[in-house]
């Protein structure tokens, strides 16, 4: 590779306005450097620079960069043959201290550091997976849907906090199992026509019923309207009139934000589910208990469809944070859960394990066994997620659907063990 066939390594220090490129050889000698822009001209300059040093489709020069996102990374990954490594900026900072203790930082020095990371420790860093175009699009949609749900929850909690200050009757009217769900279409429709207790006293059952119909309710409308009407008109402590009106204006503003969050969550969820249903792994992933269109899309979004990404199930479990960590120092040994993990996959795994323990009898037995063993609720769910994730890795590698008899074999009775 290159004029003397010496392997080369490229490091790119990413910035918003420009990118610094440094290429070193196996001895750590700087062979080329350049500052490029994130456009067609800049990317062409980068490809020319790499080609001058021996970059080919058969023997591409590996690239290290501090991010896994952006147009530059997408262009580098487009061919599917170039190894691209996304190095954590905190790791880059630790490597930088190997060469300087002054903690001085420069873009060119960081590009050199990234290139030297590949030269020395490429084997301990994971390259970006070669996921299919469909898998990458599902990842964008599923993550956006997950963000929209988190925004919806945050908006709902903010609105609930304000309603507690002046309108507890409304919270009690839409409470289920002591948990108020303000994100429902019915609650939002009624709050829009009665943002204050004063407005609620003027509501008629007919207006409430109309709002419920507009929200999509089709059964029990009259009874629900009568119950809401009665609860909203019960005597309550009240704020001063002007203060109550001010709270009502604030609630309407927060309601508008909640409506927007609900609409975006619905739109993105439908788009992610539609794309996920067209993926070849859809049947395998949704065959697992607890995984459907939405949750299954989130799992696929984080693990991808590059089968070489995880060498074995242990790597996938560590990536998801479901596998425990054993720390041993001297005479002290402790086993704890992982804090450094893919938070999105861990969040999806929590929902997955909870649904599985609720709807799958074998998974429920496994969960109860862990609780009887002394695990708390979160630890038992994490253990179940760990087991399901290992089974998913096997099924995807061998293109098999979930089989609960193999996944959760029933224990052999003691009598049969004695006879055997």
């Amino acid at each position: 590779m290159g004029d003397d066939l010496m392997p080369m390594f490229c490091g790119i220090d990413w910035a918003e306005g420009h990118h610094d490129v440094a290429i070193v050889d196996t001895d750590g000698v700087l062979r080329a450097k350049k500052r490029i822009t994130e456009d067609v001209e800049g990317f062409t300059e980068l490809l020319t620079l790499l080609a001058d040093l021996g970059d080919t489709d058969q023997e591409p020069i590996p690239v290290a960069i501090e991010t896994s996102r952006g147009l530059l990374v997408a262009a580098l990954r487009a061919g599917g043959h170039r190894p691209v490594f996304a190095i954590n900026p905190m790791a880059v900072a630790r490597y930088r201290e190997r060469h300087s203790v002054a903690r001085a930082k420069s873009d060119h020095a960081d590009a050199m550091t990234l290139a030297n990371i590949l030269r020395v420790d490429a084997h301990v860093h994971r390259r970006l997976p070669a996921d299919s175009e469909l898998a990458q699009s599902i990842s964008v949609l599923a993550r956006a849907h997950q963000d929209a749900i988190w925004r919806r929850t945050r908006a709902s909690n903010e609105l609930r906090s304000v309603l507690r200050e002046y309108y507890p009757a409304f919270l009690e009217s839409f409470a289920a199992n002591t948990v108020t769900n303000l994100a429902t279409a019915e609650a939002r429709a009624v709050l829009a026509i009665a943002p204050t207790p004063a407005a609620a006293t003027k509501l008629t059952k007919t207006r409430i019923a109309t709002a419920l119909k507009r929200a999509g309710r089709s059964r029990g409308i009259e009874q629900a309207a009568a119950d809401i009407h009665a609860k909203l008109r019960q005597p309550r402590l009240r704020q001063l009139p002007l203060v109550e009106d001010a709270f009502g204006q604030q609630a309407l503003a927060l309601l508008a934000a909640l409506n927007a969050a609900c609409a975006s969550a619905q739109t993105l969820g439908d788009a992610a589910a539609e794309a996920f249903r067209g993926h070849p792994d859809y049947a395998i992933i949704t065959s697992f208990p607890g995984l459907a269109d939405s949750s299954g899309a989130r799992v696929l979004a984080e693990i991808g469809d590059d089968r070489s990404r995880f060498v074995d199930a242990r790597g996938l479990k560590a990536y998801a944070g479901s596998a425990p960590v054993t720390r041993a120092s001297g005479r002290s040994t402790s086993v704890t859960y992982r804090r450094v993990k893919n938070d999105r996959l861990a969040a999806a795994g929590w929902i997955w394990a909870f649904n599985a323990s609720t709807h799958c009898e074998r998974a429920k037995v496994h969960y109860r066994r862990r609780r009887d063993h002394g695990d708390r609720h979160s630890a038992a769910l994490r253990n179940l997620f760990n087991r399901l994730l290992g089974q998913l890795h096997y099924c995807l590698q061998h293109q098999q659907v979930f089989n609960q008899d193999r996944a959760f074999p029933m224990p052999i009775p003691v009598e049969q063990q004695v006879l055997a």
Side-chain angles (χ1 to χ4, degrees):
M1 186 177 292
D3 49 4
D4 53 357
L5 300 180
M6 181 179 292
M8 301 290 170
F9 306 91
C10 177
I12 301 178
D13 181 72
W14 186 93
E16 185 173 349
H18 60 267
H19 312 304
D20 282 82
V21 181
I23 302 177
V24 302
D25 57 24
T26 54
D27 296 327
V29 178
L30 179 66
R31 301 297 296 271
K33 68 175 183 177
K34 195 174 186 64
R35 173 168 288 186
I36 63 173
T37 54
E38 190 170 346
D39 51 22
V40 176
E41 291 76 11
F43 185 66
T44 303
E45 292 176 0
L46 174 61
L47 293 182
T48 302
L49 187 66
L50 293 172
D52 291 342
L53 293 173
D55 178 74
T56 63
D57 291 345
Q58 293 72 31
E59 295 184 359
I61 295 178
V63 176
I65 191 169
E66 288 181 311
T67 180
S68 60
R69 307 171 66 181
L71 291 174
L72 180 62
V73 175
L76 288 170
R77 299 176 62 190
H81 63 278
R82 183 183 307 282
V84 180
F85 296 80
I87 311 297
N88 191 299
M90 294 183 63
V92 178
R94 302 289 83 77
Y95 274 98
R96 190 189 304 126
E97 294 174 356
R98 297 173 59 184
H99 305 283
S100 173
V101 296
R103 295 188 178 181
K105 185 183 184 304
S106 70
D107 295 339
H108 170 64
D110 281 355
M112 283 277 294
T113 300
L114 286 163
N116 280 306
I117 289 175
L118 291 188
R119 180 179 66 88
V120 178
D121 291 330
H123 61 286
V124 299
H125 292 280
R126 182 184 290 116
R127 60 179 289 181
L128 292 179
D131 292 329
S132 65
E133 183 178 354
L134 178 57
Q136 293 183 49
S137 67
I138 293 172
S139 177
V140 172
L141 292 172
R143 290 179 177 181
H145 180 222
Q146 196 173 33
D147 290 338
I149 290 177
W150 289 340
R151 286 194 299 269
R152 184 182 65 187
T153 302
R154 184 165 57 250
S156 178
N157 289 337
E158 289 178 355
L159 179 57
R160 183 180 186 275
S161 178
V162 171
L163 291 175
R164 281 177 54 87
E165 295 290 327
Y166 79 106
Y167 204 177
F170 184 86
L171 295 179
E172 295 179 9
S173 299
F174 292 91
N177 298 326
T178 70
V179 178
T180 303
N181 187 5
L182 297 177
T184 61
E186 296 177 7
R188 291 183 282 121
V190 174
L191 183 61
I193 62 175
T196 63
T201 58
K202 300 176 183 179
L203 275 184
T204 63
K205 297 179 183 179
T206 303
R207 281 198 71 189
I208 297 176
T210 302
L212 295 178
K213 291 179 182 178
R214 189 167 56 248
R217 191 182 184 109
S218 58
R219 296 181 179 180
I221 296 176
E222 298 301 329
Q223 182 61 44
D227 292 342
I228 294 173
H229 182 266
K231 290 179 180 179
L232 292 181
R233 296 176 67 88
Q234 289 179 359
R236 303 277 181 172
L237 296 177
R238 298 272 294 272
Q239 294 277 2
L240 296 174
L242 290 180
V243 177
E244 185 175 279
D245 290 341
F247 272 120
Q249 293 295 323
Q250 182 183 9
L252 288 176
L254 293 176
L255 178 62
L258 178 58
N259 287 334
C262 292
S264 62
Q266 182 65 41
T267 301
L268 291 169
D270 293 341
E274 182 179 359
F276 177 49
R277 285 192 289 267
H279 195 277
D281 294 337
Y282 172 80
I284 297 176
I285 294 177
T286 54
S287 68
F288 277 74
L291 287 183
D293 289 357
S294 178
S295 54
R298 294 185 199 176
V299 172
L300 177 63
E302 301 309 322
I303 67 177
D305 57 4
D306 181 3
R307 296 291 176 262
S308 63
R309 182 178 185 181
F310 301 101
V311 178
D312 52 25
R314 293 179 60 187
L316 176 58
K317 293 175 180 179
Y319 178 70
S322 60
V325 178
T326 301
R327 293 183 173 88
S329 177
R331 298 181 179 179
S332 175
T333 302
S334 63
V335 180
T336 60
Y337 66 92
R338 292 179 183 267
R339 297 181 181 273
V340 180
K341 58 185 181 300
N342 183 317
D343 292 332
R344 291 183 180 274
L345 182 55
W350 179 276
I351 299 174
W352 178 11
F354 180 80
N355 290 336
S357 66
T358 304
H359 299 97
C360 177
E361 189 61 33
R362 299 285 182 89
K364 183 186 298 185
V365 170
H366 179 87
Y367 168 81
R368 292 308 315 174
R369 187 184 302 120
R370 296 302 308 181
R371 291 303 306 270
D372 296 340
H373 187 263
D375 286 354
R376 298 175 67 88
H377 173 67
S378 58
L381 284 183
R382 190 163 50 246
N383 184 277
L384 177 58
F385 172 45
N386 190 60
R387 186 181 183 94
L388 289 170
L389 198 60
Q391 295 159 2
L392 177 61
H393 180 270
Y394 177 87
C395 290
L396 290 175
Q397 292 289 344
H398 296 83
Q399 291 297 291
Q400 298 178 7
V401 296
F402 176 78
N403 186 324
Q404 71 168 356
D405 293 329
R406 297 183 61 182
F408 298 99
M410 296 299 292
I412 302 175
V414 179
E415 302 80 20
Q416 297 184 14
Q417 293 181 13
V418 173
L419 293 176

PDB file of all heavy atoms in Angstrom, residues 4 23 27 85 108 126 130 184 205 271 307 350:
ATOM      1  N   ASP A   4       5.664   2.491  -1.146  1.00  0.00           N
ATOM      2  CA  ASP A   4       6.524   1.446  -0.592  1.00  0.00           C
ATOM      3  C   ASP A   4       5.698   0.312   0.020  1.00  0.00           C
ATOM      4  O   ASP A   4       6.214  -0.473   0.805  1.00  0.00           O
ATOM      5  CB  ASP A   4       7.460   2.040   0.459  1.00  0.00           C
ATOM      6  CG  ASP A   4       6.701   2.821   1.518  1.00  0.00           C
ATOM      7  OD1 ASP A   4       5.459   2.943   1.405  1.00  0.00           O
ATOM      8  OD2 ASP A   4       7.357   3.299   2.451  1.00  0.00           O
ATOM      9  N   ILE A  23      -2.669  11.303   7.997  1.00  0.00           N
ATOM     10  CA  ILE A  23      -2.403   9.921   7.598  1.00  0.00           C
ATOM     11  C   ILE A  23      -0.996   9.560   8.028  1.00  0.00           C
ATOM     12  O   ILE A  23      -0.033  10.278   7.714  1.00  0.00           O
ATOM     13  CB  ILE A  23      -2.563   9.738   6.072  1.00  0.00           C
ATOM     14  CG1 ILE A  23      -3.974  10.141   5.633  1.00  0.00           C
ATOM     15  CG2 ILE A  23      -2.281   8.295   5.675  1.00  0.00           C
ATOM     16  CD1 ILE A  23      -4.201  10.062   4.140  1.00  0.00           C
ATOM     17  N   ASP A  27       5.064   3.183  11.227  1.00  0.00           N
ATOM     18  CA  ASP A  27       6.049   3.705  12.172  1.00  0.00           C
ATOM     19  C   ASP A  27       5.567   4.958  12.877  1.00  0.00           C
ATOM     20  O   ASP A  27       6.307   5.539  13.689  1.00  0.00           O
ATOM     21  CB  ASP A  27       7.356   4.006  11.434  1.00  0.00           C
ATOM     22  CG  ASP A  27       8.001   2.747  10.869  1.00  0.00           C
ATOM     23  OD1 ASP A  27       7.863   1.687  11.509  1.00  0.00           O
ATOM     24  OD2 ASP A  27       8.627   2.827   9.794  1.00  0.00           O
ATOM     25  N   PHE A  85     -13.906   3.580  11.904  1.00  0.00           N
ATOM     26  CA  PHE A  85     -13.965   3.380  13.351  1.00  0.00           C
ATOM     27  C   PHE A  85     -14.423   4.681  14.006  1.00  0.00           C
ATOM     28  O   PHE A  85     -13.822   5.741  13.788  1.00  0.00           O
ATOM     29  CB  PHE A  85     -12.596   2.986  13.916  1.00  0.00           C
ATOM     30  CG  PHE A  85     -12.086   1.660  13.421  1.00  0.00           C
ATOM     31  CD1 PHE A  85     -11.491   1.544  12.168  1.00  0.00           C
ATOM     32  CD2 PHE A  85     -12.193   0.527  14.198  1.00  0.00           C
ATOM     33  CE1 PHE A  85     -11.006   0.327  11.712  1.00  0.00           C
ATOM     34  CE2 PHE A  85     -11.727  -0.701  13.751  1.00  0.00           C
ATOM     35  CZ  PHE A  85     -11.134  -0.795  12.505  1.00  0.00           C
ATOM     36  N   HIS A 108      -5.199  19.371  14.402  1.00  0.00           N
ATOM     37  CA  HIS A 108      -4.231  18.515  13.709  1.00  0.00           C
ATOM     38  C   HIS A 108      -3.681  17.438  14.638  1.00  0.00           C
ATOM     39  O   HIS A 108      -3.529  16.266  14.244  1.00  0.00           O
ATOM     40  CB  HIS A 108      -3.077  19.363  13.156  1.00  0.00           C
ATOM     41  CG  HIS A 108      -1.936  18.550  12.653  1.00  0.00           C
ATOM     42  ND1 HIS A 108      -2.030  17.684  11.586  1.00  0.00           N
ATOM     43  CD2 HIS A 108      -0.641  18.447  13.106  1.00  0.00           C
ATOM     44  CE1 HIS A 108      -0.860  17.091  11.375  1.00  0.00           C
ATOM     45  NE2 HIS A 108      -0.010  17.536  12.286  1.00  0.00           N
ATOM     46  N   ARG A 126     -14.156  -1.292  17.802  1.00  0.00           N
ATOM     47  CA  ARG A 126     -15.135  -1.889  16.903  1.00  0.00           C
ATOM     48  C   ARG A 126     -15.399  -0.953  15.734  1.00  0.00           C
ATOM     49  O   ARG A 126     -15.725   0.220  15.931  1.00  0.00           O
ATOM     50  CB  ARG A 126     -16.435  -2.188  17.652  1.00  0.00           C
ATOM     51  CG  ARG A 126     -17.495  -2.854  16.787  1.00  0.00           C
ATOM     52  CD  ARG A 126     -18.812  -3.056  17.519  1.00  0.00           C
ATOM     53  NE  ARG A 126     -18.692  -4.074  18.552  1.00  0.00           N
ATOM     54  CZ  ARG A 126     -18.824  -3.859  19.841  1.00  0.00           C
ATOM     55  NH1 ARG A 126     -19.061  -2.645  20.268  1.00  0.00           N
ATOM     56  NH2 ARG A 126     -18.714  -4.840  20.714  1.00  0.00           N
ATOM     57  N   ALA A 130     -21.541  -2.780   8.863  1.00  0.00           N
ATOM     58  CA  ALA A 130     -21.959  -2.635   7.465  1.00  0.00           C
ATOM     59  C   ALA A 130     -23.438  -2.989   7.354  1.00  0.00           C
ATOM     60  O   ALA A 130     -23.827  -3.972   6.702  1.00  0.00           O
ATOM     61  CB  ALA A 130     -21.109  -3.528   6.566  1.00  0.00           C
ATOM     62  N   THR A 184     -53.582  10.839  26.591  1.00  0.00           N
ATOM     63  CA  THR A 184     -54.692  10.259  25.843  1.00  0.00           C
ATOM     64  C   THR A 184     -55.443  11.360  25.105  1.00  0.00           C
ATOM     65  O   THR A 184     -55.509  12.511  25.544  1.00  0.00           O
ATOM     66  CB  THR A 184     -55.656   9.527  26.787  1.00  0.00           C
ATOM     67  OG1 THR A 184     -56.190  10.457  27.739  1.00  0.00           O
ATOM     68  CG2 THR A 184     -54.942   8.404  27.521  1.00  0.00           C
ATOM     69  N   LYS A 205     -72.915  18.186  29.692  1.00  0.00           N
ATOM     70  CA  LYS A 205     -72.606  16.810  29.323  1.00  0.00           C
ATOM     71  C   LYS A 205     -72.519  16.654  27.807  1.00  0.00           C
ATOM     72  O   LYS A 205     -71.718  15.857  27.305  1.00  0.00           O
ATOM     73  CB  LYS A 205     -73.679  15.869  29.887  1.00  0.00           C
ATOM     74  CG  LYS A 205     -73.756  15.848  31.402  1.00  0.00           C
ATOM     75  CD  LYS A 205     -74.863  14.918  31.874  1.00  0.00           C
ATOM     76  CE  LYS A 205     -74.999  14.953  33.384  1.00  0.00           C
ATOM     77  NZ  LYS A 205     -76.094  14.070  33.872  1.00  0.00           N
ATOM     78  N   ALA A 271     -44.323   5.150  10.737  1.00  0.00           N
ATOM     79  CA  ALA A 271     -43.289   5.051   9.702  1.00  0.00           C
ATOM     80  C   ALA A 271     -42.245   3.993  10.049  1.00  0.00           C
ATOM     81  O   ALA A 271     -41.808   3.214   9.185  1.00  0.00           O
ATOM     82  CB  ALA A 271     -42.623   6.410   9.509  1.00  0.00           C
ATOM     83  N   ARG A 307     -24.206  -9.272  10.417  1.00  0.00           N
ATOM     84  CA  ARG A 307     -24.009 -10.467  11.247  1.00  0.00           C
ATOM     85  C   ARG A 307     -22.594 -10.566  11.819  1.00  0.00           C
ATOM     86  O   ARG A 307     -22.362 -11.290  12.792  1.00  0.00           O
ATOM     87  CB  ARG A 307     -24.319 -11.725  10.429  1.00  0.00           C
ATOM     88  CG  ARG A 307     -25.775 -11.815   9.988  1.00  0.00           C
ATOM     89  CD  ARG A 307     -26.672 -12.047  11.183  1.00  0.00           C
ATOM     90  NE  ARG A 307     -28.075 -12.038  10.782  1.00  0.00           N
ATOM     91  CZ  ARG A 307     -28.883 -11.002  10.901  1.00  0.00           C
ATOM     92  NH1 ARG A 307     -28.447  -9.895  11.457  1.00  0.00           N
ATOM     93  NH2 ARG A 307     -30.138 -11.071  10.505  1.00  0.00           N
ATOM     94  N   TRP A 350     -35.724  -3.281  28.514  1.00  0.00           N
ATOM     95  CA  TRP A 350     -36.565  -3.244  29.713  1.00  0.00           C
ATOM     96  C   TRP A 350     -38.025  -3.494  29.337  1.00  0.00           C
ATOM     97  O   TRP A 350     -38.720  -4.305  29.971  1.00  0.00           O
ATOM     98  CB  TRP A 350     -36.402  -1.891  30.406  1.00  0.00           C
ATOM     99  CG  TRP A 350     -37.231  -1.727  31.631  1.00  0.00           C
ATOM    100  CD1 TRP A 350     -38.540  -1.336  31.695  1.00  0.00           C
ATOM    101  CD2 TRP A 350     -36.840  -1.981  32.985  1.00  0.00           C
ATOM    102  NE1 TRP A 350     -38.984  -1.300  32.993  1.00  0.00           N
ATOM    103  CE2 TRP A 350     -37.965  -1.689  33.808  1.00  0.00           C
ATOM    104  CE3 TRP A 350     -35.658  -2.390  33.575  1.00  0.00           C
ATOM    105  CZ2 TRP A 350     -37.913  -1.815  35.194  1.00  0.00           C
ATOM    106  CZ3 TRP A 350     -35.619  -2.513  34.961  1.00  0.00           C
ATOM    107  CH2 TRP A 350     -36.727  -2.233  35.755  1.00  0.00           C
TER     108      TRP A 350
END
